[in-house]
Amino acid sequence: MRRFVTSESVTEGHPDKICDQISDAVLDELLRQDTGSRVACETFVSTGLVIVGGEVTTTGYVDLPNIVRNLLREIGYRHKFGFCPETCAIINGIGRQSPDIAQGVDVGGAGDQGMMIGYACNETPEFMPLPIALAHRLTHKLAEMRKNGTLSYLGPDGKSQVTVEYEDDKPQRVDSVILATQHTEEILDESGNRITKNARDELIEKVIKPITGDWIDDRTRYFVNETGKFIIGGPQSDTGMTGRKIIVDTYGGIVPHGGGAFSGKDPTKVDRSATYMARYLAKNIVASGAAERCRIDLSYVIGVPEPTSVEINTFGTGKVEDEKLSQATKKLFDLTPKGIISKLNLLRPIYLKTASYGHFGREDPDFTWELTDSADSIKEKIGK
């Protein structure tokens, strides 16, 4: 059976990703000072404006204007890109966490109800679906080319989208690649309404082809800045909010998303920590050889430590029954919030770097949910 699967990614300068990064920068600063900080931080950006709100309980202190302005500079925003870190207005709307919620979390219960989903597959070295893996690599490449000066005309805002052709659930080729990147006026043609052919070709040769490699062929289609030009970008052209890129953050739409966003939430919020744990479990199951693909669904109720359900689906690729994998998982791992936090060592200021280019499939020693150190234990538990 042939099918086409599409996933997208956005750069760190995309308005929604600016917000995710600000929210996680606040979280990191509070965890750096007080590992017991309870944080639920949301950010909104628009033309010349940043609003940060939410609920926090902590002994720490955040110099919010300083964190926001430094982060915007690091992302690459300047006056010429329509959003000035030095002059944008910053409004602080952070309040105190509800004591009604705290009394359930303080005794080890989940910080909220909800469904959390983890996934892994063996079609890429990072155990991620190929479409989202390529999409993330493309946006990261855009940022790299901009920051190292190779393509000095690039701006911070940008997007990618990749469509992969599958045959019998195996990726065969890249059917199309979309790249939309903010830029300065220097690459516009004589009409002033389109980028030059040379600039388009340069983006294909220096950004797209090094990433897509052997997955492209003579039928692959390229769409680069198809509106013609992309000078006005970032918060000047579009509002941004924390948590609006949850499919970009996870698996690119290959599997459902549990519902909750990640950024700005401390790990007592199972929206974040249990999703990280579900990814860890799914990845270790695939790494153990027990399945080629694995999806894990967890669910929780606020104030209760143990999950209300643990379901595993290997899509017919499992070497043992899904129920046997589910039972082995529940016996091997502590899936309470405290157990997850301890297992993955989550009470650390590591979250800002998760907020761009996906929370999964990344090679970083702080991303403990990407380790495969339990693959042998799983293999032993289910029997080789």
Side-chain angles (χ1 to χ4, degrees), residues 121-181:
C121 60
N122 64 0
E123 62 190 60
T124 62
E126 57 264 58
F127 294 87
M128 289 288 284
L130 182 63
I132 189 66
L134 292 177
H136 283 321
R137 292 175 204 167
L138 285 169
T139 50
H140 194 268
K141 189 70 171 179
L142 275 177
E144 177 189 319
M145 295 286 98
R146 170 174 61 89
K147 290 180 176 181
N148 68 21
T150 301
L151 300 177
S152 58
Y153 51 78
L154 295 179
D157 196 359
K159 288 185 174 184
S160 71
Q161 185 168 293
V162 178
T163 299
V164 174
E165 181 179 347
Y166 282 74
E167 186 75 34
D168 296 330
D169 293 324
K170 302 292 185 184
Q172 302 298 314
R173 55 181 291 272
V174 169
D175 183 69
S176 66
V177 180
I178 298 172
L179 208 62
T181 178

Side-chain angles (χ1 to χ4, degrees), residues 114-334:
M115 305 162 291
M116 297 81 209
I117 293 174
Y119 181 76
C121 60
N122 64 0
E123 62 190 60
T124 62
E126 57 264 58
F127 294 87
M128 289 288 284
L130 182 63
I132 189 66
L134 292 177
H136 283 321
R137 292 175 204 167
L138 285 169
T139 50
H140 194 268
K141 189 70 171 179
L142 275 177
E144 177 189 319
M145 295 286 98
R146 170 174 61 89
K147 290 180 176 181
N148 68 21
T150 301
L151 300 177
S152 58
Y153 51 78
L154 295 179
D157 196 359
K159 288 185 174 184
S160 71
Q161 185 168 293
V162 178
T163 299
V164 174
E165 181 179 347
Y166 282 74
E167 186 75 34
D168 296 330
D169 293 324
K170 302 292 185 184
Q172 302 298 314
R173 55 181 291 272
V174 169
D175 183 69
S176 66
V177 180
I178 298 172
L179 208 62
T181 178
Q182 187 182 17
H183 59 85
T184 58
E185 294 183 355
E186 67 189 86
I187 60 168
L188 292 178
D189 63 15
E190 293 180 355
S191 73
N193 293 317
R194 301 195 67 83
I195 64 171
T196 64
K197 181 180 183 302
N198 285 342
R200 179 183 183 275
D201 291 344
E202 187 172 43
L203 287 165
I204 292 172
E205 293 298 324
K206 292 187 177 180
V207 177
I208 295 176
K209 288 186 176 180
I211 296 300
T212 51
D214 293 337
W215 291 108
I216 58 174
D217 56 27
D218 56 4
R219 293 183 293 143
T220 301
R221 297 168 294 160
Y222 306 103
F223 302 92
V224 179
N225 281 27
E226 287 299 308
T227 62
K229 63 180 180 179
F230 187 178
I231 292 175
I232 300 174
Q236 185 184 16
S237 66
D238 192 12
T239 59
M241 294 183 69
T242 300
R244 282 208 303 200
K245 287 291 177 284
I246 56 177
I247 300 303
V248 171
D249 285 343
T250 52
Y251 307 102
I254 296 292
V255 293
H257 188 284
F262 306 145
S263 291
K265 296 178 181 177
D266 75 84
T268 66
K269 279 73 171 174
V270 283
D271 280 343
R272 183 169 218 158
S273 55
T275 303
Y276 287 0
M277 189 64 179
R279 162 64 177 175
Y280 174 81
L281 297 175
K283 186 173 182 180
N284 276 270
I285 286 172
V286 175
S288 76
E292 295 178 13
R293 292 189 288 151
C294 182
R295 168 182 153 187
I296 296 187
D297 296 12
L298 304 175
S299 64
Y300 291 82
V301 59
I302 191 169
V304 178
E306 297 289 343
T308 55
S309 66
V310 180
E311 292 294 325
I312 292 181
N313 183 355
T314 60
F315 306 94
T317 70
K319 304 301 187 294
V320 298
E321 298 85 357
D322 291 351
E323 178 59 26
K324 187 173 182 178
L325 278 172
S326 181
Q327 292 301 321
T329 297
K330 285 186 279 190
K331 289 177 181 178
L332 282 170
F333 301 99
D334 182 351

Side-chain angles (χ1 to χ4, degrees), residues 53-87:
E55 299 79 42
V56 169
T57 299
T58 184
T59 60
Y61 168 76
V62 172
D63 183 347
L64 189 63
N66 188 53
I67 279 186
V68 171
R69 296 189 199 284
N70 284 340
L71 182 57
L72 290 172
R73 292 186 197 103
E74 186 175 330
I75 291 171
Y77 274 101
R78 303 290 186 270
H79 178 73
K80 68 177 180 178
F81 293 121
F83 199 70
C84 182
E86 283 70 34
T87 60

